[in-house]
Amino acid sequence: MTDGLVVGTSGNVSVRVGDTVLVTPSGVPYDRLAPHDATGVDLDGRQVLGTLVPTSELPMHLAVYRADPGARAVVHTHAVHATAVSLLVSELPPVHYMTAALGGPVRVAPYAAYGTDALARAMLDALADRTGCLLRNHGTVTYGDSLDQAYDRTAQLEWMCRLWLTAASVPGHAPSLLTPEQLAEVTERLEGYGQRS
């Protein structure tokens, strides 16, 4: 909440632990969540932990875990800049090299009502070979092999959306975009980036 990625009860988060998906409950503000509010479901969506109703976006979270067994966390937000970009384009243009960290230019999934299988399917199509996407008139979805990684990808996506909106708003100028070759070079460099474990 302090990063401005969610407001009130908008957005949701999940973490996969074995065959259980721990997910934020529906309609509970994040600043009021406590450990006893934990909600868990199996990969078929059956509740196995807690008494609070899981997020209405459960179909999206489960779709990611079913599609990519390596996914360990999913973050969905209604971040303002990313949502604004989803209204304007079908793909976030590659304005920064961190586009490569999400697998390439970030696609926008067509609009579908929240909490539906149609939205989950549209999201999966937009996520093909990517770890993040925008949802038209809705928000963002990112995932990763840890909650930290999924969250960092969400924050990076929101920053890139803000960057593009800012640059694109200057009259008489168009933002400079990276080429596929430049993104490929960054993708290769990112493979060795960071500390060795």
Side-chain angles (χ1 to χ4, degrees):
M1 289 184 68
T2 58
D3 290 336
L5 297 174
V6 298
V7 176
T9 63
S10 69
N12 30 77
V13 175
S14 68
V15 175
R16 180 176 177 177
V17 180
D19 290 332
T20 300
V21 176
L22 302 174
V23 63
T24 50
S26 181
V28 180
Y30 293 105
D31 59 355
R32 295 184 202 147
L33 284 174
H36 65 269
D37 295 326
T39 301
V41 300
D42 64 19
L43 293 172
D44 293 321
R46 289 184 297 264
Q47 191 158 351
V48 297
L49 177 67
T51 58
L52 296 178
V53 175
T55 175
S56 58
E57 295 292 13
L58 187 59
M60 264 193 332
H61 290 261
L62 294 178
V64 171
Y65 295 120
R66 290 179 191 135
D68 185 346
R72 289 291 172 261
V74 177
V75 174
H76 164 52
T77 74
H78 297 174
V80 67
H81 297 98
T83 304
V85 169
S86 82
L87 309 174
L88 300 170
V89 294
S90 60
E91 183 177 89
L92 173 64
V95 291
H96 192 271
Y97 66 80
M98 285 305 287
T99 298
L102 294 171
V106 178
R107 301 181 193 102
V108 179
Y111 179 80
Y114 78 91
T116 62
D117 289 334
L119 178 59
R121 286 191 301 273
M123 174 208 63
L124 280 183
D125 288 344
L127 282 175
D129 301 317
R130 303 288 190 269
T131 55
C133 73
L134 300 176
L135 307 172
R136 175 119 24 236
N137 299 81
H138 189 153
T140 67
V141 173
T142 61
Y143 73 94
D145 59 19
S146 69
L147 184 55
D148 283 344
Q149 186 181 62
Y151 180 84
D152 289 346
R153 286 175 172 165
T154 297
Q156 189 69 51
L157 178 54
E158 172 67 356
W159 179 84
M160 287 191 298
C161 288
R162 184 177 178 191
L163 174 64
W164 181 73
L165 287 169
T166 302
S169 70
V170 178
H173 296 276
S176 173
L177 303 179
L178 297 173
T179 66
E181 293 76 21
Q182 289 168 325
L183 286 177
E185 178 188 5
V186 171
T187 299
E188 188 175 316
R189 292 177 64 83
L190 285 174
E191 289 176 12
Y193 181 77
Q195 301 300 312
R196 307 289 185 261
S197 48

